[in-house]
Amino acid sequence: MIIVIQCIDRVGLVAAITKVTAEEQLNIVSMREHVDQAQDRFFMRLEVTYTGDGSSIEEKLARVLPPDATIKINPLPQKRVVVMVTKEYHCLADILIRNHYGTLGASVLAVIGNHAVLKDICDRFDMPFYHISHEQKSKDEFEENITAVIERYEPDYIILAKFMRILSPELVAKFPMRIINIHHSFLPAFIGANPYKQAFERGVKLIGATAHFVSDELDEGPIIAQQIISVNHSYTAMDMVKAGKEIETSVLATALKLVFEDRVFVYKNKTVVFD
């Protein structure tokens, strides 16, 4: 079972928390904690052996923690996810393969695409695919159709696996810090469209990818994971695109593992990641 705690910092928090775990006869398998001194914020992730539902533990922890504490008790369930795509297959294919072999750490319930291009690969994995075109309809109608499918499955997270449409603040607000995006750039560099073209024209020597939670600001949500590789003057823009796809797949897989294992804490527009 995983226990994650976030609250204002104060003296004695670790002692108070471990006292509760001892009283409940919980064996601590691992414990990670961090204090953001600038924000006066405390973060902790505990992995314990326990077979109950955790309700009594949560109540006892709430009594010894500051009033603003958020406590999450998670008996290691498989997270439920919906994936959204456009035309690029590399991130979706990696997710579907991991899902098929039970190594994703979550269950993929359905895939939504604003083009029908990737229906074939979903069919190969017997994965429900919903083609919701953005063409010949308003953005409101487009997002209403998407939301209807998402809410049907009640996912824990929504993965934008190269979904190339900007979501409205209204849709993002329905799933706060539950939408994960992979951006083909080492943010905050080259925000928005065509980052590899921007990188090529700038003559950069490093390119990368960033997995982040989606917020109201384009490509500026809390960062979960990043990775870079070296490039040089011999790389064309297309060479960068090809190299970047490998990074995108890797970074998204890393970020999903961290999120699904409850290793990511969000506070304001930053994350604390116990990797």
Side-chain angles (χ1 to χ4, degrees):
M1 181 172 74
I2 303 297
I3 304 172
V4 293
I5 297 167
Q6 181 181 158
C7 62
I8 191 170
D9 188 36
R10 74 181 185 197
V11 174
L13 285 177
V14 174
I17 292 165
T18 53
K19 184 173 185 293
V20 170
T21 61
E23 291 172 350
E24 291 292 314
Q25 297 295 300
L26 304 181
N27 181 44
I28 298 176
V29 178
S30 68
M31 180 172 69
R32 299 285 301 277
E33 57 89 15
H34 171 72
V35 174
D36 184 335
Q37 295 183 339
Q39 299 291 336
D40 196 28
R41 202 77 186 161
F42 174 86
F43 306 86
M44 175 178 276
R45 180 186 185 273
L46 282 162
E47 185 174 348
V48 300
T49 55
Y50 185 69
T51 57
D53 64 6
S55 57
S56 64
I57 300 169
E58 185 171 350
E59 292 173 2
K60 289 187 176 181
L61 286 171
R63 288 198 290 267
V64 302
L65 292 172
D68 76 321
T70 57
I71 306 163
K72 183 178 178 183
I73 307 289
N74 175 20
L76 290 177
Q78 284 278 307
K79 301 294 191 296
R80 297 162 53 87
V81 302
V82 167
V83 182
M84 295 174 60
V85 296
T86 294
K87 292 182 179 181
E88 296 184 62
Y89 66 85
H90 53 290
C91 289
L92 174 64
D94 185 69
I95 289 169
L96 291 179
I97 290 170
R98 291 173 189 269
N99 182 70
H100 179 77
Y101 287 104
T103 60
L104 183 64
S107 296
V108 179
L109 308 175
V111 176
I112 301 171
N114 62 312
H115 291 274
V117 175
L118 300 179
K119 182 180 186 302
D120 177 65
I121 189 172
C122 291
D123 290 343
R124 292 168 186 258
F125 286 92
D126 294 321
M127 180 62 58
F129 181 88
Y130 295 85
H131 176 212
I132 302 176
S133 176
H134 62 283
E135 298 173 346
Q136 298 180 339
K137 63 181 66 172
S138 68
K139 185 167 184 175
D140 287 346
E141 183 183 1
F142 173 59
E143 292 195 344
E144 285 171 6
N145 293 342
I146 289 174
T147 302
V149 174
I150 293 173
E151 291 180 340
R152 184 185 312 170
Y153 286 97
E154 300 181 344
D156 297 298
Y157 294 99
I158 299 138
I159 305 169
L160 306 186
K162 304 299 292 182
F163 180 72
M164 308 306 287
R165 304 293 298 177
I166 298 174
L167 300 178
S168 71
E170 290 75 21
L171 193 152
V172 172
K174 292 178 181 178
F175 309 100
M177 296 303 131
R178 292 166 55 196
I179 305 176
I180 300 168
N181 183 49
I182 180 67
H183 182 73
H184 38 316
S185 168
F186 191 76
L187 294 175
F190 308 127
I191 289 172
N194 300 316
Y196 293 123
K197 182 174 182 291
Q198 296 179 56
F200 172 74
E201 292 174 347
R202 184 65 180 82
V204 302
K205 306 307 178 189
L206 296 169
I207 60 171
T210 302
H212 64 96
F213 289 108
V214 176
S215 67
D216 290 349
E217 300 296 326
L218 178 63
D219 296 331
E220 292 192 6
I223 292 172
I224 305 167
Q226 294 181 293
Q227 186 177 328
I228 56 172
I229 60 169
S230 298
V231 295
N232 59 42
H233 61 274
S234 69
Y235 278 70
T236 66
M238 283 308 301
D239 290 334
M240 290 185 180
V241 169
K242 291 177 183 178
K245 287 183 178 181
E246 298 296 325
I247 312 174
E248 292 163 17
T249 302
S250 175
V251 170
L252 182 58
T254 297
L256 295 180
K257 183 177 187 295
L258 292 168
V259 171
F260 296 158
E261 292 181 356
D262 296 298
R263 297 180 181 275
V264 181
F265 295 73
V266 178
Y267 183 67
K268 297 186 176 179
N269 203 47
K270 292 176 63 177
T271 56
V272 170
V273 180
F274 292 133
D275 53 13

